[in-house]
Amino acid sequence: MKKIIVLKNIRKSFVIGERNIDVLKGIDLEIEDGEFLAIQGVSGSGKSTLLYILGLMDRPTSGEYLLQGRRVEHLEDEELSDLRNALFGFVFQQFYLIDYLNAYDNVILPILYSKKAIPYPRQRARRLLDRLGLSNRYFSKPSQLSGGEQQRVAIARALINEPQVILADEPTGQLDSRTANEIMDIFSTLNNEGKTIIMVTHDEAMAKRAKRILRIKDGLLFS
Ligand SMILES: Nc1ncnc2c1ncn2[C@@H]1O[C@H](COP(=O)(O)OP(=O)(O)O)[C@@H](O)[C@H]1O
Ligand SMILES: [Mg+2]
């Protein structure tokens, strides 16, 4: 299997006033193309920090990040955002949908910022919404949708640019357990179709839905 992500001795510290907090203290991680990985840890353990580094939304303080075999820590911001948009789709606990846009427009929006040529974007947006059980919700605003529906719109949006990897930060954190399991069913299906899924969560039951679980504790990863 092809390694898509390799982290070597990744450290991340934040400076707050006079204090330095070391959140990640030497993370080593290898992720293969097609994996479904959960990283589980308690609140404050550094899960989001790690996911932001993986998703090229933040830079490590030190260490190596090889993405598809290429070192990325020292790339310019613009190169990072191009890589990010080409490779990753993001799903967050808070959905982050745009309130004044309907479901369809939320899904199609990332195409406008993409340098990738996605054929038939409008048809693709409709197909994704249909696949996610939202065929009667195209014109609904986020406020008219349930939490589970909002998260499915967010997943469709994450998929519109055909990312190789889905990065999910507590994607079920605002959902009841039945809806949460429906969201995990979607991730499992996507993974079975070849999508790499990396999810961070505090929730043991959700972590168990992945094919591999790692724990994050005291700034380090454990299997
Ligand atoms: N931008 C930041 N500035 C300062 N401290 C931060 C920042 N981001 C995260 N932290 C701190 O890093 C620690 C880990 O945070 P986070 O990665 O959000 O944990 P988790 O997602 O596991 O709850 C926390 O103590 C948090 O306060
Ligand atoms: Mg977090």
Side-chain angles (χ1 to χ4, degrees):
M1 271 292 222
K2 209 175 91 208
K3 287 193 186 85
I4 179 163
I5 284 172
V6 178
L7 301 184
K8 291 183 190 164
N9 199 18
I10 290 287
R11 293 168 184 270
K12 180 72 180 180
S13 307
F14 292 106
V15 181
I16 306 177
E18 313 244 295
R19 256 170 23 103
N20 202 41
I21 52 164
D22 302 320
V23 178
L24 306 178
K25 300 179 185 170
I27 299 281
D28 293 311
L29 176 61
E30 297 194 350
I31 302 171
E32 288 177 354
D33 194 19
E35 277 207 79
F36 184 179
L37 170 66
I39 298 171
Q40 189 270 338
V42 298
S43 174
S45 58
K47 303 182 296 293
S48 295
T49 302
L50 177 57
L51 200 82
Y52 274 56
I53 289 171
L54 287 169
L56 307 175
M57 292 195 283
D58 199 1
R59 295 170 186 272
T61 305
S62 66
E64 282 180 33
Y65 181 176
L66 288 112
L67 180 59
Q68 295 180 314
R70 177 182 182 200
R71 291 282 297 268
V72 294
E73 317 89 71
H74 305 297
L75 295 181
E76 301 287 336
D77 286 348
E78 198 184 328
E79 284 179 285
L80 287 180
S81 68
D82 286 350
L83 260 181
R84 179 167 64 235
N85 293 332
L87 275 176
F88 297 119
F90 293 91
V91 178
F92 299 97
Q93 176 172 1
Q94 305 85 343
F95 320 132
Y96 292 132
L97 298 173
I98 296 177
D99 295 338
Y100 58 84
L101 295 180
N102 65 34
Y104 172 84
D105 287 330
N106 266 284
V107 170
I108 206 153
L109 192 67
I111 295 260
L112 306 177
Y113 298 98
S114 174
K115 292 188 179 170
K116 247 188 198 174
I118 303 290
Y120 304 108
R122 286 182 289 269
Q123 187 185 54
R124 186 170 162 75
R126 288 194 297 269
R127 286 224 177 113
L128 282 168
L129 285 164
D130 295 348
R131 257 204 79 180
L132 290 160
L134 296 163
S135 45
N136 57 350
R137 288 283 185 262
Y138 289 8
F139 305 110
S140 301
K141 301 271 173 68
S143 64
Q144 299 168 314
L145 299 171
S146 69
E149 287 172 329
Q150 290 182 64
Q151 194 60 301
R152 283 184 275 141
V153 174
I155 292 171
R157 178 185 57 188
L159 292 167
I160 192 81
N161 280 333
E162 301 186 326
Q164 196 172 350
V165 182
I166 296 283
L167 295 172
D169 190 347
E170 303 274 9
T172 61
Q174 287 197 25
L175 306 174
D176 62 75
S177 69
R178 195 180 123 225
T179 311
N181 273 301
E182 288 167 8
I183 295 298
M184 298 308 297
D185 292 341
I186 294 167
F187 286 144
S188 293
T189 304
L190 291 169
N191 177 248
N192 288 334
E193 293 168 1
K195 205 66 88 192
T196 305
I197 316 259
I198 306 169
M199 172 182 76
V200 301
T201 181
H202 72 279
D203 187 325
E204 184 64 34
M206 294 303 117
K208 285 206 169 106
R209 299 285 315 264
K211 288 187 184 152
R212 175 159 74 119
I213 307 180
L214 295 172
R215 315 282 171 186
I216 183 165
K217 193 167 183 260
D218 301 326
L220 295 169
L221 278 181
F222 301 89
S223 48

